[in-house]
Amino acid sequence: MFERFGLSKKGVISVIVILLFGCALFISTGFRTTQIEYEGNTRYTDEEMTNYIFGGKYNVNTLIYYFITSKKDKAVIPFVQDYEVSVDWPNKLKIKVYEKSIIGYIRYMGYNLYFDKDGIVVDSSRDILEGVPEVTGLSYTNVVLHSRLNVEDDRVFSILLEIVQLCEKYSIDVDKVFFDKKYDVVMYVGNIKIMLGEPSTITEKIYEVSQMMPQMQGLSGTLHMENFTEDTSSIIFKKENE
């Protein structure tokens, strides 16, 4: 086909190379990244995201990297599921971040192991992330990074997810969640120990907790809600040392 235009195979290859070089030159001279705008990142600052994705630097080659080469080689970021890069001409990159749903962490061999809603351990750190509760009482053997926690009953993850979502909804700063052998729940908020009991009515119980939190500010003690139902509002608060 190319012979009609008087081009040999070498000539065709040369034309393709020239075209690709021309595209790269046009992009690099027509687009100069001076700003990166992030959306959806709550676990990392913009500077930390830039360090993960671009190694702390970005320049005119940034656009070439994403739109001429393969996009498969994305940075691996512990608490990020994925991210998308788009161009806001003439000088801005927009990056939309999709974070993993982290619902808790366990302490293991001196480290805090964070896991998502499916029980997958996504990161190991000595740092404590704000807004993520410590989870205690679970029985497991070995723990492997990027693998599922091998707990006795996987329903613990759905229970914990519900607790975390409800606490976020009602602005309750939960510090720790404890599960006993029957998977009854104890929740710790500041100096208040909240005995939630059997988790089937946990939605109603946490709502009631949210209504009482303003009156319990600054107090220390145990809030008993094990026997609470919508029909019989059995709630007892015992101050510390009573």
Side-chain angles (χ1 to χ4, degrees):
M1 180 178 75
F2 297 105
E3 285 78 1
R4 296 180 183 178
F5 303 98
L7 293 174
S8 63
K9 288 184 179 179
K10 284 187 177 181
V12 172
I13 293 173
S14 299
V15 170
I16 293 173
V17 170
I18 292 170
L19 288 174
L20 288 175
F21 178 78
C23 289
L25 183 63
F26 171 77
I27 292 173
S28 63
T29 55
F31 181 88
R32 295 185 179 275
T33 307
T34 60
Q35 183 180 358
I36 298 180
E37 181 180 288
Y38 290 96
E39 176 188 348
N41 53 311
T42 62
R43 298 293 178 196
Y44 300 102
T45 64
D46 290 356
E47 183 179 357
E48 288 171 329
M49 288 298 299
T50 300
N51 283 332
Y52 271 116
I53 298 174
F54 305 113
K57 298 179 180 179
Y58 55 91
N59 50 38
V60 295
N61 294 321
T62 302
L63 189 66
I64 298 173
Y65 173 79
Y66 276 102
F67 295 97
I68 293 183
T69 64
S70 171
K71 299 179 186 179
K72 293 186 297 182
D73 299 326
K74 287 187 173 181
V76 177
I77 309 173
F79 297 110
V80 173
Q81 186 71 38
D82 196 8
Y83 59 88
E84 295 176 351
V85 181
S86 59
V87 179
D88 189 359
W89 204 269
N91 62 351
K92 183 190 293 185
L93 285 181
K94 288 187 174 182
I95 302 180
K96 189 169 184 179
V97 180
Y98 301 92
E99 294 184 330
K100 295 176 181 176
S101 179
I102 307 300
I103 62 173
Y105 72 93
I106 59 171
R107 295 187 186 275
Y108 186 76
M109 297 182 67
Y111 286 86
N112 302 318
L113 303 184
Y114 292 89
F115 57 91
D116 65 16
K117 63 183 179 61
D118 298 313
I120 306 298
V121 179
V122 301
D123 193 36
S124 171
S125 172
R126 293 190 184 275
D127 298 329
I128 296 178
L129 291 180
E130 184 178 352
V132 180
E134 180 185 0
V135 182
T136 61
L138 300 181
S139 296
Y140 47 84
T141 53
N142 61 321
V143 180
V144 180
L145 194 61
H146 306 308
S147 297
R148 190 184 181 97
L149 278 175
N150 56 341
V151 296
E152 293 179 352
D153 190 341
D154 286 344
R155 71 182 177 127
V156 69
F157 302 124
S158 59
I159 295 170
L160 186 57
L161 176 61
E162 184 177 11
I163 291 171
V164 169
Q165 290 176 335
L166 287 168
C167 287
E168 288 179 355
K169 178 179 179 180
Y170 298 123
S171 300
I172 299 172
D173 297 324
V174 56
D175 300 309
K176 184 165 66 174
V177 178
F178 169 77
F179 292 92
D180 67 14
K181 292 182 180 180
K182 298 186 297 182
Y183 284 85
D184 286 359
V185 181
V186 181
M187 189 169 73
Y188 294 82
V189 178
N191 294 321
I192 305 295
K193 179 180 180 181
I194 305 168
M195 310 290 291
L196 293 172
E198 208 279 322
S200 63
T201 57
I202 207 149
T203 301
E204 295 82 1
K205 291 176 179 178
I206 291 182
Y207 171 76
E208 290 298 325
V209 170
S210 72
Q211 300 303 298
M212 291 183 286
M213 286 307 297
Q215 288 75 43
M216 293 191 294
Q217 291 294 323
L219 298 179
S220 299
T222 302
L223 183 65
H224 290 273
M225 301 193 68
E226 303 97 313
N227 300 318
F228 173 85
T229 66
E230 290 183 293
D231 300 324
T232 59
S233 53
S234 176
I235 301 174
I236 300 172
F237 179 70
K238 290 185 177 181
K239 289 185 180 180
E240 197 172 80
N241 300 324
E242 279 192 356

